[in-house]
Amino acid sequence: MRLIRLGAPGVEKPAALLDDDNYIDLSDVVDDFNEAFFAAGRMDEIANVVAERWDTAKPIGSTRIGSPIARPHQILCIGLNYSDHAAETGQAVPSEPILFTKSPNTMQGPNDDLQIPRGSVKTDWEVELGIVIGRRCSYLADEAEASAAIAGYTIVNDVSEREWQIERGGQWSKGKSAPTFNPTGPWLVTPDEVGDVLALDMFLDVDSTRKQDGSTSTMIFSPAFIVHYLSQFLTLEPGDLINTGTPPGVGMGAKPPTYLTGGETLTLGITGLGVQRQRVLA
Ligand code: ZN
């Protein structure tokens, strides 16, 4: 199943996709795809409603697509989770997942404009697989339990200001939390529909130039490993989002480094999870 939220920012309505172009409204059944929805474990119920309502589908057309989940309790991020990306940034492959946080209010729709923050000279892109948590997780016993706690997957652009992330003291969150810095979506895809999550192609284009061309097969720590691992340190809440790291091809890794200046269009996608497109505003 593929879940989607449609409408103006802040008042999106929950829906499910019938196919790539048509949706089935669920706003009379579900308030939102939020913490309460995931905590209640309503995925099977929703699948039944979708099956019954196939003949009520409407075209998405030009309707705005929001993030596929409501603003989460937390956005957690894993750094340097692709061996080839660690190499391009000149850093060692980590022995344990590197964790940083991102302000939940960075989340926005997949095609909303990306705003370069004031004073930024090193705004960079990162296509990533996003994990959405399906239930409260604390001290999960093993990776099987962790897999069962994953509600689905989505695409995130983990936009990063490299000067603020690396050169301004402290830890990475400073360079990750500017407004508009976490485009999410277009869909939340349930694990059964994703298939093998460790065999998904991913790409990111800046205008017509392919910058990132990778695969989840080169991830160091798998989604199940990450969810199990994080649950030993903190409580994951239903509807939380985890950005799982980016493959090679970020601006910081180019020689010389190249950053966004405004006026570009970013296009990014992952197999089966859809495509995002953002205009970059100076
Ligand atoms: Zn990242």
Side-chain angles (χ1 to χ4, degrees):
M1 192 163 52
R2 293 182 289 176
L3 302 182
I4 190 168
R5 291 166 73 250
L6 295 165
V11 292
E12 295 94 342
K13 289 184 170 178
L17 289 188
L18 178 69
D19 54 40
D20 285 359
D21 302 318
N22 297 286
Y23 72 96
I24 295 162
D25 180 52
L26 296 172
S27 60
D28 61 327
V29 187
V30 175
D31 287 338
D32 205 349
F33 299 135
N34 55 17
E35 185 172 341
F37 168 77
F38 291 108
R42 298 182 65 190
M43 283 292 187
D44 289 346
E45 175 198 345
I46 292 303
N48 289 334
V49 172
V50 169
E52 284 165 10
R53 292 187 178 181
W54 63 272
D55 58 346
T56 68
K58 300 186 191 81
I60 295 170
S62 59
T63 310
R64 174 183 172 272
I65 300 174
S67 58
I69 56 171
R71 183 185 294 180
H73 168 81
Q74 57 192 342
I75 300 176
L76 301 172
C77 308
I78 305 301
L80 301 177
N81 194 28
Y82 287 75
S83 51
D84 31 10
H85 172 60
E88 77 171 343
T89 64
Q91 297 176 80
V93 171
S95 57
E96 289 191 62
I98 293 169
L99 175 66
F100 59 94
T101 65
K102 192 157 188 167
S103 296
N105 64 4
T106 57
M107 200 174 74
Q108 65 171 4
N111 306 319
D112 294 344
D113 293 341
L114 173 61
Q115 179 71 55
I116 296 179
R118 281 187 203 178
S120 165
V121 292
K122 295 185 179 179
T123 296
D124 201 352
W125 53 84
E126 295 189 344
V127 59
E128 301 194 9
L129 176 73
I131 301 170
V132 175
I133 296 296
R135 67 170 179 85
R136 179 171 277 193
C137 300
S138 183
Y139 302 114
L140 293 170
D142 51 32
E143 290 187 28
E145 236 180 46
S147 286
I150 294 173
Y153 298 96
T154 189
I155 303 169
V156 288
N157 185 359
D158 180 21
V159 184
S160 306
E161 212 299 333
R162 300 302 186 191
E163 184 189 17
W164 304 352
Q165 176 188 349
I166 297 166
E167 302 168 37
R168 295 291 294 274
Q171 44 104 316
W172 293 5
S173 299
K174 200 184 288 179
K176 298 281 189 171
S177 293
T180 77
F181 263 29
N182 211 62
T184 306
W187 315 319
L188 173 63
V189 185
T190 51
D192 58 302
E193 189 151 335
V194 170
D196 183 358
V197 75
L198 295 177
L200 306 178
D201 293 331
M202 50 210 304
F203 75 92
L204 183 146
D205 294 344
V206 178
D207 295 323
S208 56
T209 304
R210 175 111 338 155
K211 297 289 190 179
Q212 295 191 270
D213 188 5
S215 167
T216 56
S217 64
T218 65
M219 279 182 134
I220 300 166
F221 304 110
S222 72
F225 183 98
I226 290 167
V227 171
H228 171 258
Y229 178 87
L230 292 179
S231 80
Q232 311 306 311
F233 298 95
L234 52 84
T235 301
L236 296 164
E237 299 287 357
D240 279 357
L241 177 65
I242 304 171
N243 297 353
T244 59
T246 199
V250 299
M252 178 173 62
K255 296 189 176 39
T258 53
Y259 297 106
L260 298 169
T261 56
E264 302 92 341
T265 298
L266 305 184
T267 309
L268 50 149
I270 299 179
T271 309
L273 303 184
V275 171
Q276 301 187 349
R277 189 166 288 112
Q278 296 120 30
R279 289 187 308 164
V280 182
L281 306 182

